[in-house]
Amino acid sequence: MEGAATAQALSRIGLAGLAVMGQNLALNIAEKGFPISVYNRTTSKVDETLDRAQREGQLPLTGQYNPRDFVLSIQRPRSVIILVKAGAPVDQTIAALAEHMEPGDTIIDGGNEWYENTERRIDEASSKGLLYLGMGVSGGEDGARNGPSLMPGGSHGAYMNIKDILEKVAAQVEDGPCVTYIGEGGSGNFVKMVHNGIEYGDMQLISEAYDVLKNAGGLSNSELADIFAEWNRGELESFLVEITADIFNVKDEKTGSGELVDKILDKTGMKGTGKWTVQQAAELSIAAPTIAASLDSRYMSGLKEEREDAARIFKKEGLKEEINFDVNGSSVDKKRLIDDVRQALYASKICSYAQGMNLLRAKSAEKGWNLNLGEMARIWKGGCIIRAVFLDRIKKAYQRNPGLANLMVDPEFAREMVQRQAAWRRVVGLAIQRGISVPGMSASLQYFDTYRRSRLPANLVQAQRDYFGAHTYERVDMPGAYHTEWSKLARKARV
């Protein structure tokens, strides 16, 4: 009798790893009507999750206290999501669970994992007859609880086993849930990694917009809060712009004076996905200068003590932190600056997304993943950190032309870049005159200026390479590879 009762009570899915993201995703799944079993090595986390399930609506969630009971409490074919720290902890969790799993069961890793680790685990799982998915999850703890963007890649069969759950749990937008089967192998992790690289670029560009408005425009935090809130009602409408408006409004409760943002140490943390994105761009020979600039800026922010020393040394030499090389010495027109910065931020963001999409396309071609770039933009429209209203337009650009060479040359985006470039140049120019670093906006502008020019000074670089290394060059007027005895001819020319 007891066996029959247990059989009836089997969960539809399991989740192991109950830090905040794991707890929230498990509660989200339960709330959508799917009975779920949860497990964590530290048993207090299981109790905590059970307690929340009761408090948040008596949700169909059961806790298990060892891997065997956990696995056996799930209906076949079993699907288990793991949300533990990337690297060795994932391998340890898989080993503990796989011992009790059977051929046809599925493991889904929802962490930010390096895609090659996922590909190794797919092979290892398949030797035991297990299916495997590496699933990017974006949206932070709020997204996990209320609807994230999900990027599952790996076994298509595994995806089909839990498609009904993922489609209910994901964020919902007008054209469907923010989840799709990404592709084979580690494609889900790779797409999430590039999403995070774009996120680095986005955050950097927003911080530069803030820096210019504050230090060149003299805007207060309350003015900045109003500006970002207004921007969030237009073409820049996005999660990051929305939370930025909120940040400027938060008072410092510890001291009771001023806003909290001014009390935060200017040293940025990072987990590694941005670095991986830039490394992959270099491996694939894809220019991603905006994303690279954002990574460099995080490294530079880490040199807080060195920067403080440098400020003192340069001040001693007569250089103030606030430089003004404005030839007219004119004061800034605030209203115009605000509008210029809005346009510069928008154009710079397009470059950041274009670089991310190009990276996805190059990797897809290398690995045969057959990624659908329009669909990637669609699943990022809700739930995730880079969700933005213009992702719908990115989706449409790739629907119009799946072979689009670069987002910037889609007719709609090209028109917008041209309309905004004068404002963009004014902002970067003003920042340079004032000594305000804008590496992201500058990198985006240089990316645009390099891409739109039909002839670059690379001809001189090729001449230099041929001069010192006989690397040969091609000509514009006739086919073939050529080599010139440059030093001999240069000597002759001097005589």
Side-chain angles (χ1 to χ4, degrees):
M1 191 66 203
E2 197 180 309
T6 314
Q8 282 173 345
L10 287 179
S11 294
R12 172 72 175 82
I13 191 167
L15 189 145
L18 298 172
V20 180
M21 284 291 283
Q23 281 189 28
N24 282 3
L25 189 61
L27 292 163
N28 181 355
I29 291 168
E31 194 171 64
K32 298 302 188 294
F34 301 102
I36 183 168
S37 294
V38 299
Y39 164 70
N40 196 80
R41 242 176 24 173
T42 313
T43 55
S44 60
K45 291 283 187 200
V46 178
D47 295 332
E48 205 179 292
T49 312
L50 286 168
D51 185 45
R52 282 187 64 188
Q54 279 308 301
R55 277 186 292 125
E56 295 178 27
Q58 297 188 316
L59 304 174
L61 182 146
T62 54
Q64 304 295 337
Y65 295 90
N66 64 63
R68 183 177 179 276
D69 291 351
F70 170 63
V71 170
L72 296 182
S73 71
I74 305 161
Q75 70 182 48
R76 296 189 186 91
R78 302 179 184 95
S79 295
V80 176
I81 297 171
I82 55 177
L83 268 167
V84 298
K85 206 164 173 249
V90 176
D91 291 308
Q92 287 152 11
T93 307
I94 292 170
L97 300 176
E99 214 176 301
H100 309 288
M101 295 176 85
E102 298 170 317
D105 290 352
T106 293
I107 294 169
I108 303 116
D109 175 16
N112 272 338
E113 188 55 272
W114 173 237
Y115 82 99
E116 288 180 330
N117 285 343
T118 296
E119 301 199 326
R120 164 178 63 78
R121 289 178 190 134
I122 287 172
D123 291 341
E124 288 166 1
S126 113
S127 70
K128 299 186 180 87
L130 300 175
L131 308 180
Y132 199 91
L133 283 174
M135 181 171 73
V137 179
S138 179
E141 50 193 82
D142 183 60
R145 182 66 186 82
N146 301 307
S149 173
L150 300 170
M151 296 155 246
S155 159
H156 188 258
Y159 174 70
M160 294 311 289
N161 286 344
I162 55 164
K163 182 174 186 265
D164 59 332
I165 301 178
L166 299 184
E167 289 186 344
K168 282 269 184 0
V169 163
Q172 308 292 318
V173 290
E174 76 286 349
D175 48 6
C178 292
V179 60
T180 190
Y181 173 68
I182 301 288
E184 297 289 325
S187 59
N189 296 108
F190 194 90
V191 167
K192 173 61 164 62
M193 176 198 80
V194 172
H195 161 287
N196 286 22
I198 294 170
E199 181 186 307
Y200 271 52
D202 245 357
M203 292 168 77
Q204 177 63 28
L205 293 168
I206 290 170
S207 75
E208 291 174 18
Y210 152 63
D211 200 6
V212 171
L213 290 173
K214 180 184 175 180
N215 290 309
L219 273 70
S220 68
N221 287 331
S222 68
E223 287 175 306
L224 287 163
D226 292 345
I227 287 159
F228 276 90
E230 189 188 321
W231 286 355
N232 196 48
R233 291 189 286 272
E235 64 187 14
L236 285 170
E237 186 191 320
S238 63
F239 174 69
L240 285 169
V241 168
E242 178 191 336
I243 67 169
T244 301
D246 283 350
I247 287 166
F248 290 122
N249 274 323
V250 174
K251 301 279 178 246
D252 178 24
E253 291 182 342
K254 292 246 189 294
T255 62
S257 71
E259 286 79 29
L260 180 57
V261 69
D262 295 326
K263 309 287 190 334
I264 296 174
L265 185 70
D266 51 319
K267 270 174 86 163
T268 312
M270 66 193 98
K271 293 278 178 65
T273 44
K275 182 179 177 180
W276 292 346
T277 305
V278 173
Q279 286 171 330
Q280 279 295 298
E283 291 277 331
L284 291 159
S285 306
I286 295 292
T290 311
I291 299 171
S294 68
L295 183 67
D296 286 340
S297 294
R298 291 196 183 195
Y299 293 151
M300 294 285 279
S301 80
L303 306 175
K304 176 67 174 169
E305 294 75 18
E306 285 184 40
R307 288 187 288 112
E308 285 176 333
D309 289 344
R312 277 194 294 274
I313 291 163
F314 288 115
K315 191 175 179 182
K316 205 171 140 194
E317 296 301 328
L319 187 65
K320 292 195 205 79
E321 276 222 28
E322 294 310 317
I323 304 163
N324 187 1
F325 286 121
D326 190 344
V327 279
N328 311 317
S330 57
S331 63
V332 170
D333 175 342
K334 258 194 197 186
K335 203 165 179 302
R336 182 178 169 185
L337 178 66
I338 292 163
D339 195 56
D340 279 356
V341 171
R342 175 185 59 78
Q343 297 185 60
L345 179 55
Y346 184 83
S348 298
K349 273 165 75 90
I350 291 173
C351 294
S352 188
Y353 284 73
Q355 291 158 30
M357 289 300 190
N358 286 355
L359 181 50
L360 287 178
R361 189 182 45 224
K363 194 67 179 180
S364 179
E366 181 195 79
K367 302 285 286 184
W369 285 337
N370 201 21
L371 296 182
N372 178 335
L373 298 183
E375 189 66 352
M376 299 306 104
R378 187 192 69 75
I379 66 168
W380 290 343
K381 280 168 57 179
C384 73
I385 304 300
I386 64 170
R387 62 183 181 264
V389 75
F390 85 160
L391 276 158
D392 193 54
R393 306 205 10 255
I394 293 178
K395 179 195 82 169
K396 287 177 177 148
Y398 285 109
Q399 281 176 338
R400 278 194 292 275
N401 179 7
L404 186 64
N406 190 300
L407 203 50
M408 294 189 295
V409 296
D410 168 75
E412 267 194 37
F413 283 120
R415 188 179 315 120
E416 290 183 339
M417 299 294 273
V418 171
Q419 286 165 350
R420 284 158 184 73
Q421 53 121 18
W424 197 5
R425 293 179 199 287
R426 283 195 295 271
V427 171
V428 172
L430 175 70
I432 289 169
Q433 285 167 355
R434 296 292 171 100
I436 298 167
S437 54
V438 282
M441 284 188 182
S442 305
S444 290
L445 182 56
Q446 299 307 326
Y447 180 71
F448 170 68
D449 276 340
T450 304
Y451 193 68
R452 69 178 181 79
R453 291 183 67 198
S454 60
R455 185 156 172 86
L456 293 170
N459 52 320
L460 180 58
V461 175
Q462 281 299 83
Q464 291 168 337
R465 292 179 72 242
D466 189 52
Y467 191 126
F468 65 68
H471 292 295
T472 75
Y473 56 87
E474 293 175 84
R475 293 179 58 103
V476 292
D477 53 355
M478 49 186 85
Y482 296 86
H483 170 58
T484 296
E485 296 289 337
W486 294 91
S487 56
K488 215 179 274 176
L489 292 175
R491 269 200 306 275
K492 209 189 280 180
R494 280 199 297 270
V495 174

